[in-house]
């Protein structure tokens, strides 16, 4: 039992009059037999003791007859009335009018009926309104009227699900607003005319496209036309709050309409995309032209994004952005969340960025099948409260057309509503009938106010229908004949609203005709302009061919004294901060690592690179599973006090720092986190954004983001990114899953100079590569970096580097093996390799010290894409006796770099020199699960490579 504070009444203060009398009676029963009372009362009495004998200013309630004249039966009825009210608030949505075409099965609504609780109209009429509903309006006189009013509120064209919200303050606020604010919203005549105009614009736009571009796909919004004015309202609400940016993500359904009316993309541009894009001569390669080799292949019109600026008064301008999105529906969600976090943060000062959640707001439009069906939705909802990913709340809208392609809800989800997933994250849900546009405006206002007040997600389920098939060429009646009979006979929302306004004498039929004619005229005018003009090439202006022109090397070395100053500061921990003793000893070794004759390891090189980059004024953000420490415990950039658990990041109080450094452990998700980081980088191109996979094969779970956004975003949308992906890779006997980062996939996706793929062998190379990437930030040369990050090499002495390699060197696309190739004319075999296998070869060479290897040279290919053609050619040129170029890798032949490298090596080597493969044979699984098999295979690869007798012989392993 709790220690009671007798100076406070605790839960009893809300009981008075007949309710207090009833509670006193229950307590008397509890004393006689605890099992005879309701479990809720047992818990109450056990925790808080007896109720007070007298309420404030009241006489003691008599169990037989109270001062107000209530008897015991009436007390019970008042309690039952309270239960009824609770259930109306909780389950009123089951009886709500939120099904425009009447295709939902009838729900069991007995919990909403007074009879279920033994209550009659007479019983409820006898109860004061405030007993039943504490906040009842003055015009509600008794309990019966209270119940009728609550029924009206909770079962109308707006319905609510708030009971799963655990925070009492939020839940009370939501219910209060539903009952006293939303219910009483009345639009002015001017607002209603504007709303009707918007509905006409949305409907007539779709109708115009349907008639003038017969058979063209556009993924119409019809059936959910109210989405357009709803978005207008949310944007307007955010402008009133002086939000700087509204970031919108959506799939293709209704995108053209949103582009035209919310983003203000000109009708003529959209019509041009329908009329001219398929025959634009510059998009189709022809003899003597660069054609699509410009590095710009474009995307279909219903995947494109746009920007718009909204003026609020004279002083404030707000940016509204609709993100580009491929066909993978919900995968844009984390990208847009990343946009918003980037827009909210100030990265100009050392430490973590300063976040202002009022600066930017996310709106995400979901599909009713995709919301419960695609896992990226749940992963993104999980960001809501995470320190590294939260952004002050997203407004979600399910554009619910009740069907996915041809699949109905019974086959696409196991829940009652498409929105039910949100309940697990305590996200309030508002269901609204898309045929009631005024209700839609009210829902938008409530959602906006909640987000701005509580800085949390909220969801609107906009329940409508789909006028046509999945696209306009698809016939839905083959699979949904009954539904589409109803759709065909159902009036559009604009016609329904016209009837309502005329009935309310808010508009005349003549005014309606004038309004509709004006909308149609603007569409026809834009169409005629495009129809009478020549094919437009505006989309390709100023696009330059990527070509193979060599760019000058960036100067990435850092002065030795500057590095030493940075190094000293990195070890300057706060007074009284107790670093874990074992880790302290490891970190303190770095104090002498920059002395002459010493070496810098991988983790130390990374920290120095980060420190020097923020010292140059470039902010950094790095996330990933266990990124603060790193999977292999080499980073340790967030130190934990071993006494009190407090944390400290050395880069946050670095005196040289001129920009922020953000480092966050991510949730156990890949596709959503990588999408978030991509979005953050696109919106903040001046930031070095890094995502680290726990193991390289974890990218399997993020393939859509890689394929649809990172590798192709520049080509499809001219969307620049400089995102860095660190993917631990290397064959060390850890089995099929933790050996390979699937290098072959990234090389297969390489083209049009779209990114850089590297596999490094030294700490200094990593240092220079990070600094080179930072030097390209926010420039035309910015591109993503895919790095096969090391595992065992992190602590391998052979991968360490001397300090002069940091101060004087730069990134090298290829590195010749020291000690080999001294007499070029004697070299008969040139080994090309990449990554850890190069270190394995070096170790094997050292074990054969004293042997004559003048016949052999080894070159490490540190950068695989873009292919270092000139550098490899320069290595080949002096080797006049060369018989063979041997590509050595530890991956199976159908994986790794071989398929990509072979034709390129043959082109450089010429026909006179054989090009051969040495590595594991083709396999379906990346690696063996047995350590002894791994060791045997690895030893066989190095032995073959270093055996002169195998020149121009087939390899034995797997042949």
């Amino acid at each position: 039992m709790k220690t009671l504070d007798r100076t406070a009444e605790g839960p009893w203060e809300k009981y008075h009059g007949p309710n207090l009398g009833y509670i006193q009676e229950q307590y008397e029963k509890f004393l006689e037999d605890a099992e005879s009372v309701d479990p809720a009362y047992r818990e109450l009495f056990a925790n808080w003791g007896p109720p007070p004998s007298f309420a404030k200013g009241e006489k003691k309630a008599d169990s037989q007859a109270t001062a107000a004249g209530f008897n015991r039966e009436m007390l019970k009825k008042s309690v039952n009335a309270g239960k009824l009210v609770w259930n109306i608030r909780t389950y009123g949505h089951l009886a709500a009018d939120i099904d425009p075409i009447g295709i939902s099965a009838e729900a069991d609504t007995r919990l909403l009926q007074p009879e279920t609780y033994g209550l009659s109209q007479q019983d409820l009429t006898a109860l004061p309104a405030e007993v039943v509903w504490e906040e009842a309006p003055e015009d509600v006189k008794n309990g019966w009227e209270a119940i009728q009013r609550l029924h009206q509120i909770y079962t109308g064209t707006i319905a609510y699900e708030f009971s799963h919200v655990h925070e009492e303050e939020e839940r009370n606020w939501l219910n209060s607003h539903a009952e006293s604010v939303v219910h009483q919203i009345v639009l002015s005549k001017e607002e209603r005319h504007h709303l009707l105009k918007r509905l006409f614009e949305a409907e007539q736009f779709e109708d115009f496209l349907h008639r003038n571009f017969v058979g063209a796909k556009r993924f119409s919004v019809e059936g959910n036309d109210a989405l357009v004015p709803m978005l207008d309202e949310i944007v307007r609400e955010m402008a009133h709050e002086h939000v700087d940016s509204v970031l919108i993500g959506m799939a293709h359904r209704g995108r053209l309409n949103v582009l035209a009316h919310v983003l203000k993309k000109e009708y003529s541009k959209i019509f041009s995309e329908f009329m001219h894009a398929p025959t634009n001569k510059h998009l189709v390669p022809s003899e003597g032209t660069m054609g699509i080799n410009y590095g710009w292949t474009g995307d279909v019109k219903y995947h494109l994004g746009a920007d718009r600026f909204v003026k609020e008064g004279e002083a404030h301008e707000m940016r509204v952005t609709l993100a580009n999105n491929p066909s993978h529906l919900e995968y844009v969600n984390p990208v847009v969340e990343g946009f918003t976090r980037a827009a909210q943060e100030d990265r100009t000062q050392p430490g973590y960025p300063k976040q202002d959640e009022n600066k930017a707001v996310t709106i995400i439009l979901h599909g009713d099948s995709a919301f419960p069906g695609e896992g990226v939705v749940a992963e993104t909802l999980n960001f809501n409260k995470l320190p590294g990913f939260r952004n002050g709340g997203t407004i979600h809208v399910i554009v619910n057309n009740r069907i996915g392609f041809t699949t109905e809800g019974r086959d696409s989800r196991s829940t009652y509503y498409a929105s039910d997933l949100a309940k697990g994250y305590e996200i309030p849900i508002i269901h609204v009938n898309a045929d009631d546009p005024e209700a839609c405006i009210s829902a938008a206002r409530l959602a906006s106010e909640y987000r701005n007040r509580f800085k949390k997600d909220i969801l609107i389920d906009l329940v409508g229908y789909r006028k046509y098939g999945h696209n306009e060429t698809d016939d839905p009646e083959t699979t949904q004949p009954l539904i589409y009979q109803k759709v065909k006979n159902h009036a559009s929302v604009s016609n329904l609203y016209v009837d309502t306004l005329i009935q309310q004498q808010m508009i005349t039929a003549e005014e309606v005709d004038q309004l509709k004619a004006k909308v149609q005229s603007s569409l026809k005018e834009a169409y005629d302009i495009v129809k009478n003009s020549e094919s437009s090439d505006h989309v390709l202006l100023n696009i330059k061919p990527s070509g193979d022109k060599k760019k000058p090397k960036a100067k990435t070395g850092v002065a030795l004294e500057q590095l030493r100053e940075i190094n000293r500061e990195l070890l300057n921990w706060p007074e009284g901060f107790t670093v874990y003793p074992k880790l302290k000893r490891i970190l303190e070794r770095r104090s002498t690592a920059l002395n002459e004759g010493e070496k810098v390891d991988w983790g130390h090189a990374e920290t120095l690179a980060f420190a020097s980059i923020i010292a140059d004024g470039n902010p950094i953000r790095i996330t990933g599973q266990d990124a603060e420490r790193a999977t292999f415990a080499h980073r340790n950039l967030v130190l934990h006090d071993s006494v009190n658990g407090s944390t400290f990041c050395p880069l946050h109080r670095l005196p040289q720092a001129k920009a922020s450094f953000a480092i966050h452990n991510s949730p156990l998700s890949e596709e959503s986190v990588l999408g978030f980081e991509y979005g953050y980088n696109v919106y903040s191109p001046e930031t070095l954004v890094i995502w680290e996979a726990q193991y390289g094969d974890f990218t399997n779970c993020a393939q859509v983001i890689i394929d649809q956004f990172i590798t192709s975003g520049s080509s499809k949308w001219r969307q620049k990114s400089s995102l860095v992906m660190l993917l631990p890779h290397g064959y060390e006997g850890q089995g099929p899953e933790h050996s390979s980062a699937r290098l072959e996939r990234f090389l297969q996706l390489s083209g049009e100079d779209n990114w850089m793929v590297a596999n490094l062998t030294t700490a200094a190379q990593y240092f220079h590569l990070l600094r080179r990437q930072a030097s390209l930030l926010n420039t035309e040369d910015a591109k993503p970096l895919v790095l096969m990050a090391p595992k065992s090499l992190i602590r391998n002495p052979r991968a360490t580097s001397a300090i002069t390699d940091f101060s004087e060197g730069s990134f090298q696309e290829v590195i010749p093996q020291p000690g080999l190739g001294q007499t070029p004319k004697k070299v008969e075999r040139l080994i090309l390799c990449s990554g850890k296998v190069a270190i394995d070869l070096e170790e094997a060479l050292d074990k054969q010290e004293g042997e004559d290897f003048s016949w052999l040279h080894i070159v490490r290919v540190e950068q695989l894409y873009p292919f270092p053609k000139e550098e490899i050619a320069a290595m080949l040129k002096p080797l006049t006796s060369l018989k063979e170029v041997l590509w050595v890798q530890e991956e199976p032949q159908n994986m790794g770099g071989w398929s990509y490298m072979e034709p390129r090596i043959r082109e450089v080597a010429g026909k006179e020199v054989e090009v051969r493969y040495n590595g594991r044979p083709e396999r379906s699984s990346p690696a063996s699960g047995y350590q002894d098999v791994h060791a045997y295979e690895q030893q066989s690869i190095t032995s073959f490579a270093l055996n002169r007798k195998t020149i121009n012989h087939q390899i034995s392993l797997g042949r």
Side-chain angles (χ1 to χ4, degrees):
M1 182 181 292
K2 290 184 179 179
T3 302
L4 300 179
D5 180 2
R6 297 298 180 182
T7 64
E9 294 192 41
W12 307 128
E13 60 187 0
K14 65 182 179 181
Y15 294 96
H16 52 85
N19 290 331
L20 180 59
Y22 179 73
I23 287 295
Q24 291 169 342
E25 182 183 85
Q26 293 299 305
Y27 186 70
E28 291 172 6
K29 290 184 177 181
F30 172 76
L31 293 177
E32 295 175 6
D33 179 11
E35 297 299 320
S36 67
V37 300
D38 187 276
Y41 290 138
R42 287 205 301 271
E43 183 180 354
L44 208 61
F45 298 143
N47 287 335
W48 294 94
S53 299
F54 296 91
K56 295 177 183 177
E58 293 180 350
K59 295 180 179 180
K60 182 177 179 180
D62 192 315
S63 62
Q64 300 300 318
T66 69
F70 280 72
N71 59 32
R72 179 184 301 179
E73 191 63 29
M74 189 59 72
L75 292 177
K76 290 182 178 179
K77 290 184 185 299
S78 68
V79 171
N80 286 341
K83 292 179 181 179
L84 173 59
V85 169
W86 171 264
N87 282 328
I88 290 172
R89 286 172 174 156
T90 304
Y91 301 111
H93 57 86
L94 294 174
D97 179 17
I98 54 172
D99 180 8
I101 58 174
I103 61 174
S104 297
E106 189 172 344
D108 182 350
T109 59
R110 284 174 294 177
L111 284 173
L112 310 178
Q113 306 305 320
E115 295 80 8
T116 303
Y117 307 89
L119 297 171
S120 66
Q121 180 176 347
Q122 183 179 359
D123 293 334
L124 289 168
T125 303
L127 290 173
E130 62 271 16
V131 170
V132 175
W133 179 14
E134 290 182 19
E135 296 83 16
E138 290 184 4
D139 63 326
V140 174
K141 303 303 183 184
N142 56 53
W144 174 255
E145 290 185 9
I147 294 300
Q148 296 306 303
R149 182 69 60 83
L150 288 169
H151 261 286
Q152 182 184 355
I153 291 170
Y154 285 96
T155 65
T157 52
I158 305 183
Y160 309 96
E161 291 190 87
F162 300 150
S163 62
H164 57 279
V165 177
H166 295 166
E167 291 290 337
E168 188 173 7
E169 179 191 356
E170 293 177 32
R171 191 174 63 251
N172 289 341
W173 183 93
L174 287 162
N175 283 324
S176 175
H177 267 60
E179 294 165 9
S180 62
V181 178
V182 175
H183 181 64
Q184 297 178 16
I185 291 176
V186 178
L187 300 185
S188 67
K189 183 176 181 179
E190 182 182 359
E191 287 175 322
R192 287 171 168 167
H193 280 216
H194 179 74
L195 177 54
L196 179 61
K197 180 187 175 187
R198 273 321 231 177
L199 293 173
F200 275 150
E201 287 173 340
E203 180 186 52
Q204 293 301 314
F205 173 77
E206 298 287 1
D207 184 65
F208 192 88
L209 293 177
H210 194 68
R211 287 184 288 104
N212 288 280
F213 304 104
V214 178
K217 294 180 182 179
R218 68 178 194 278
F219 299 98
S220 160
V221 78
E222 290 162 287
N224 270 302
D225 312 55
L227 174 67
V228 171
M230 179 183 283
L231 287 176
D232 279 343
E233 190 64 29
I234 296 172
V235 168
R236 190 179 301 113
E237 290 286 329
M238 296 308 159
H240 289 166
E241 294 296 319
H242 291 131
V243 170
D244 291 337
S245 301
V246 172
L247 297 313
I248 305 173
M250 69 180 298
H252 41 276
R253 172 80 49 209
R255 176 177 281 263
L256 293 179
N257 218 306
V258 170
L259 280 168
H261 300 116
V262 181
L263 277 296
K264 302 294 185 183
K265 184 173 181 177
E266 295 175 13
Y267 288 150
S268 58
K269 289 184 178 180
I270 296 175
F271 297 159
S272 177
E273 290 165 354
F274 276 93
M275 297 172 75
H276 296 313
T279 58
N280 189 322
K281 62 184 178 183
H282 291 288
L283 288 176
V284 181
S286 60
E287 188 176 354
T289 69
M290 288 297 297
I292 59 173
N293 295 324
Y294 276 40
W296 161 249
T297 55
D299 201 350
V300 292
K301 48 197 164 288
Y302 40 81
H303 290 170
L304 302 179
D307 281 291
R308 169 198 173 197
F309 289 90
V310 177
K311 197 88 169 177
E312 174 67 17
E314 293 299 318
H316 186 70
E317 187 174 59
M318 182 176 74
R319 177 182 176 183
V320 182
T321 299
L322 175 63
N324 301 297
N325 189 21
S327 284
H328 279 72
L329 303 177
E330 303 288 338
Y331 278 81
V332 76
N333 299 1
V335 176
V336 179
E337 300 284 1
F339 281 3
T340 304
R341 180 67 177 243
Q344 292 174 344
E345 291 191 331
D346 176 4
R347 293 169 287 276
T348 60
Q349 300 298 319
Y352 281 108
K354 305 299 186 292
Q355 184 180 9
D356 181 355
E357 294 175 341
N358 295 315
K359 288 180 68 174
V361 173
T362 311
I363 304 171
I364 298 181
L365 312 181
H366 306 272
D368 54 298
S369 291
F371 189 81
E374 293 197 332
V376 70
V377 176
E379 288 189 18
T380 306
L381 294 179
N382 188 46
F383 289 156
N384 194 13
K385 296 180 182 179
L386 305 184
F389 301 88
R390 65 184 175 218
N391 61 23
T394 294
I395 297 177
H396 302 271
V397 181
I398 295 179
V399 186
N400 191 343
N401 53 42
R402 321 293 295 284
I403 191 169
F405 212 136
T406 66
T407 303
E408 296 176 42
R410 64 174 179 268
D411 292 319
S412 64
R413 65 176 189 268
S414 296
T415 57
Y416 189 81
Y417 292 116
S419 57
D420 283 345
L421 172 67
K423 292 180 182 177
Y425 298 92
E426 296 184 50
I427 297 172
I429 298 167
I430 307 167
H431 304 280
V432 61
N433 189 322
D435 272 358
D436 185 347
E438 292 190 18
C440 293
I441 297 300
S442 296
R445 290 178 180 177
L446 175 59
S448 300
E449 191 172 349
Y450 174 85
R451 186 273 170 199
N452 291 334
R453 180 183 178 93
F454 294 103
K455 300 296 184 290
K456 290 184 177 180
D457 288 18
I458 188 166
L459 185 146
I460 300 172
D461 180 21
L462 178 63
V463 186
Y465 56 92
R466 190 183 69 195
K467 184 174 181 180
Y468 301 104
H470 176 66
N471 61 66
E472 288 68 32
T473 66
D474 187 64
D475 183 0
E477 293 191 64
T478 59
T479 51
Q480 278 78 35
L482 300 182
I483 290 176
Y484 275 89
Q485 284 178 20
K486 293 189 174 187
V487 170
K488 282 183 176 180
N489 295 322
H490 190 74
S492 70
V493 63
S494 62
N495 287 336
L496 292 172
Y497 194 48
V498 163
D499 292 344
T500 299
L501 294 184
I502 290 176
Q503 187 177 355
Q504 295 174 345
Q505 297 184 343
M506 286 287 177
I507 199 169
T508 65
E510 184 179 358
E511 288 174 318
V512 169
D513 291 340
Q514 291 173 353
L515 194 58
K516 187 180 291 188
K518 187 176 180 180
V519 171
Q520 292 171 341
S521 175
S522 63
L523 289 163
K524 188 176 186 306
E525 182 180 336
Y527 178 79
D528 289 341
I529 291 172
V530 177
K531 186 177 181 181
N532 297 325
S533 66
E534 294 185 2
S535 177
S536 172
D537 300 335
H538 68 275
V539 294
L540 292 176
L541 292 178
N542 300 320
I543 301 296
K544 298 178 181 179
S546 60
D548 297 317
K549 187 177 180 181
K550 197 73 175 176
K551 298 178 178 68
K553 282 192 175 183
K555 295 180 180 179
T556 54
V558 178
L560 181 55
E561 191 50 44
Q562 183 182 351
L563 286 174
R564 285 174 174 161
E565 288 176 5
I566 287 173
N567 197 51
R568 281 192 292 271
E569 294 296 340
L570 290 171
L571 296 172
N572 184 16
W573 304 317
E575 186 177 348
F577 189 89
T578 308
V579 180
Y580 178 57
K582 180 179 176 182
L583 177 59
K584 182 180 179 182
R585 290 193 297 271
I586 293 170
L587 294 176
E588 285 178 340
R589 291 178 201 154
R590 295 181 176 181
S591 63
T592 60
L594 302 190
N595 295 342
E596 190 173 341
E598 298 293 331
K599 294 293 186 75
V600 175
D601 65 21
W602 203 278
H604 194 185
E606 179 186 72
T607 302
L608 291 173
F610 289 164
S612 65
I613 289 168
I614 60 174
D616 290 340
N618 295 309
I620 296 174
R621 174 183 167 90
I622 177 171
T623 67
Q625 292 152 20
D626 315 295
E628 294 179 356
R629 191 204 75 166
T631 303
F632 307 104
H634 67 279
R635 183 169 296 123
N636 294 298
L637 282 178
V638 177
L639 305 177
H640 295 254
D641 190 301
S642 60
V643 176
N644 59 32
S646 62
T647 59
F648 167 68
C649 175
L651 288 170
H652 285 171
R653 55 180 256 171
L654 187 72
Q656 296 88 344
K658 299 183 183 70
S660 65
F661 178 80
I663 182 167
H664 300 284
N665 291 334
S666 76
L668 195 63
S669 306
E670 287 79 36
E671 60 191 1
S672 59
V673 175
L674 184 57
F676 187 99
E677 301 310 330
Y678 172 78
Y680 193 105
N681 177 234
V682 166
Y683 208 85
S684 173
E686 80 284 359
T687 303
L688 181 63
V689 180
I690 303 170
W691 176 70
E692 181 178 58
Q694 193 171 71
Y695 285 91
D697 60 284
F698 284 27
T699 56
N700 290 340
C701 300
Q703 203 64 45
V704 172
I705 298 296
I706 293 167
D707 289 359
Q708 305 296 330
F709 291 92
I710 299 173
T711 182
S712 57
S714 178
S715 177
K716 293 192 293 190
W717 312 311
R718 291 191 235 157
Q719 189 161 281
K720 302 290 276 184
S721 167
S722 55
L723 179 68
V724 178
M725 290 185 281
L726 303 180
L727 313 178
H729 175 87
Y731 281 57
E732 296 156 357
Q734 292 186 309
E737 272 59 73
H738 290 342
S739 295
S740 175
R742 295 292 188 173
L743 171 62
E744 63 279 358
R745 292 181 182 170
F746 295 98
L747 294 174
Q748 183 189 46
L749 291 168
S750 299
E752 297 180 304
D753 204 24
N754 61 331
W755 57 16
M756 194 177 88
V757 181
N759 196 4
L760 310 181
T761 57
T762 74
Q765 282 282 87
Y766 182 40
F767 173 89
H768 289 295
L769 186 57
L770 287 174
R771 285 189 51 78
R772 185 177 83 167
Q773 188 71 359
S775 73
L776 300 176
L777 294 172
N778 210 13
T779 71
E780 280 302 308
D781 294 326
K783 66 186 72 173
L785 167 62
V786 181
L787 180 60
M788 300 292 109
K791 295 181 291 181
S792 64
L793 290 194
I794 289 171
R795 292 177 177 81
N796 192 318
R798 296 180 185 276
T800 59
S801 300
I803 184 57
T804 52
D805 292 337
F806 297 86
S807 60
E808 300 172 7
S810 62
F811 180 72
Q812 305 298 311
E813 285 83 358
V814 300
I815 299 177
Q817 177 65 38
L820 293 182
Q822 303 297 315
T823 312
K825 293 182 180 179
K826 291 185 178 182
V827 174
E828 298 176 357
R829 168 180 280 176
L830 172 64
I831 292 177
L832 296 179
C833 56
S834 188
K836 188 186 75 68
V837 74
I839 301 299
D840 293 342
L841 290 169
E842 182 178 280
E843 289 177 349
L845 279 170
D846 287 352
K847 290 177 182 178
Q848 300 180 48
E849 187 178 358
E851 289 193 25
D852 178 16
F853 281 105
S854 61
W855 58 273
L856 177 69
H857 197 19
I858 299 176
V859 173
R860 304 175 185 181
V861 182
E862 302 278 294
Q863 176 181 296
L864 294 158
Y865 184 83
F867 179 67
K869 181 178 179 179
E870 292 180 13
E871 289 79 3
I872 292 176
M875 293 290 176
L876 284 165
K877 189 173 182 180
L879 308 182
T880 54
S881 301
L882 189 66
K883 297 179 179 178
E884 175 187 86
V885 176
L886 185 69
W887 174 258
V888 178
Q889 67 178 42
E890 50 189 358
E891 302 90 350
Q893 188 172 3
N894 56 324
M895 302 176 196
W898 169 242
S899 297
Y900 164 81
M901 293 294 290
E902 181 190 12
R904 291 165 175 82
I905 295 172
R906 290 191 186 281
E907 181 184 353
V908 177
K911 296 181 180 179
E912 295 77 16
V913 178
E914 290 286 342
V915 177
R916 296 186 182 278
Y917 167 82
N918 177 24
R920 288 174 170 83
E922 291 185 353
R923 285 185 176 151
S924 57
S925 178
S928 171
Y930 302 102
Q931 179 65 38
D932 53 347
V933 173
H934 160 78
Y936 169 78
E937 291 179 339
Q938 206 75 2
Q939 192 275 331
S940 298
I941 291 170
T942 56
S943 296
F944 183 92
L946 302 183
N947 185 349
R948 188 175 188 179
K949 295 178 180 178
T950 61
I951 293 178
N952 287 341
H953 283 69
Q954 301 290 349
I955 65 171
S956 58
L957 180 61
R959 290 288 188 174

